[in-house]
Amino acid sequence: SQTIHQWPATLVQPVGSPLSLECTVEGTSNPNLYWYRQAAGRGLQLLFYSVGIGQISSEVPQNLSASRPQDRQFILSSKKLLLSDSGFYLCAWSAGTGWGSYGYTFGSGTRLTVV
Amino acid sequence: KNQVEQSPQSLIILEGKNCTLQCNYTVSPFSNLRWYKQDTGRGPVSLTIMTFSENTKSNGRYTATLDADTKQSSLHITASQLSDSASYICVVSASGTYKYIFGTGTRLKVLA
């Protein structure tokens, strides 16, 4: 069965420090991968999505970047964190084809607090 | 513009009561609609997935309906339990796209 792992679960970082959040998927190949951010009391905002290795699409201009060095690995990064980067970050995957009836599965999330 | 709107924004009910959450969408061309439950501080978990041809689908005490003509979906929770307290998110995907459109969710609080 497919599983998605996201870490760390919580993170407190000072302003100006770098960031690296990692997400990996097991049990499938060529997944579509997504990074979402959820501000307190708000809906999910799509940040990046990837349909293949090295293929990254950015949805909103921001202080963050994403990379997909391997088929089932998706990394969210920042060179210098801002206070506004605080939030709940979720990684998700969906099937590479035929997503119409396949699951869209989320990781357990990372609570990032920039201080 | 593709949008998903949910109502109510928040809801408080007593344990054992039933409730219905609404989702209206303008996504086109429609592919499928999903309801997710998100506990505080956790990732969303899928409850149901509905395609164009499905009108009703149940998952335990959760029953989702879909009216593709009016572009409306509902999630009915029967005999609510304290553990049902969570945010419920409606997500719609359009054909030919990798993206999903999320509603802002309904926050449900079940009181003893």
Side-chain angles (χ1 to χ4, degrees):
Chain A
S1 63
Q2 302 90 355
T3 56
I4 180 169
H5 303 280
Q6 185 181 344
W7 67 92
T10 60
L11 191 60
V12 179
Q13 293 282 93
V15 170
S17 64
L19 172 73
S20 180
L21 303 182
E22 188 164 345
C23 173
T24 60
V25 180
E26 296 178 356
T28 187
S29 59
N30 193 32
N32 298 323
L33 296 172
Y34 309 79
W35 277 111
Y36 282 88
R37 177 168 58 199
Q38 187 176 38
R42 303 287 297 277
L44 288 156
Q45 179 188 34
L46 179 62
L47 301 176
F48 302 95
Y49 69 95
S50 171
V51 301
I53 296 174
Q55 301 179 59
I56 308 295
S57 296
S58 174
E59 285 296 293
V60 295
Q62 59 210 320
N63 184 43
L64 302 168
S65 62
S67 62
R68 185 170 177 173
Q70 300 180 40
D71 181 45
R72 290 169 288 179
Q73 183 184 30
F74 205 24
I75 298 172
L76 184 69
S77 304
S78 173
K79 292 182 179 179
K80 290 185 177 181
L81 283 169
L82 305 172
L83 287 175
S84 58
D85 291 324
S86 293
F88 190 55
Y89 289 82
L90 287 160
C91 179
W93 79 273
S94 67
T97 58
W99 59 77
S101 59
Y102 288 126
Y104 183 55
T105 306
F106 288 89
S108 54
T110 296
R111 172 72 60 192
L112 172 65
T113 304
V114 182
V115 297
Chain B
K1 181 179 179 180
N2 290 328
Q3 286 186 319
V4 176
E5 296 182 350
Q6 291 186 244
S7 62
Q9 283 189 329
S10 61
L11 183 62
I12 300 174
I13 61 174
L14 294 176
E15 186 178 17
K17 298 296 185 181
N18 304 334
C19 67
T20 300
L21 314 180
Q22 299 291 342
C23 174
N24 297 338
Y25 62 92
T26 59
V27 178
S28 182
F30 175 83
S31 175
N32 61 77
L33 182 147
R34 299 171 171 86
W35 282 95
Y36 285 85
K37 177 186 178 186
Q38 184 179 20
D39 294 313
T40 301
R42 305 293 297 275
V45 175
S46 178
L47 294 175
T48 66
I49 301 173
M50 303 190 73
T51 58
F52 184 86
S53 60
E54 296 175 307
N55 299 119
T56 303
K57 183 173 283 188
S58 293
N59 178 4
R61 294 181 296 104
Y62 301 103
T63 299
T65 65
L66 175 65
D67 186 334
D69 292 330
T70 61
K71 298 186 177 181
Q72 295 179 328
S73 176
S74 66
L75 180 68
H76 185 75
I77 304 175
T78 304
S80 61
Q81 300 176 359
L82 297 179
S83 59
D84 292 331
S85 297
S87 289
Y88 292 83
I89 305 170
C90 178
V91 183
V92 182
S93 64
S95 298
T97 176
Y98 296 103
K99 297 185 234 181
Y100 297 77
I101 298 93
F102 286 75
T104 54
T106 293
R107 290 189 174 185
L108 174 65
K109 179 71 173 178
V110 180
L111 301 178

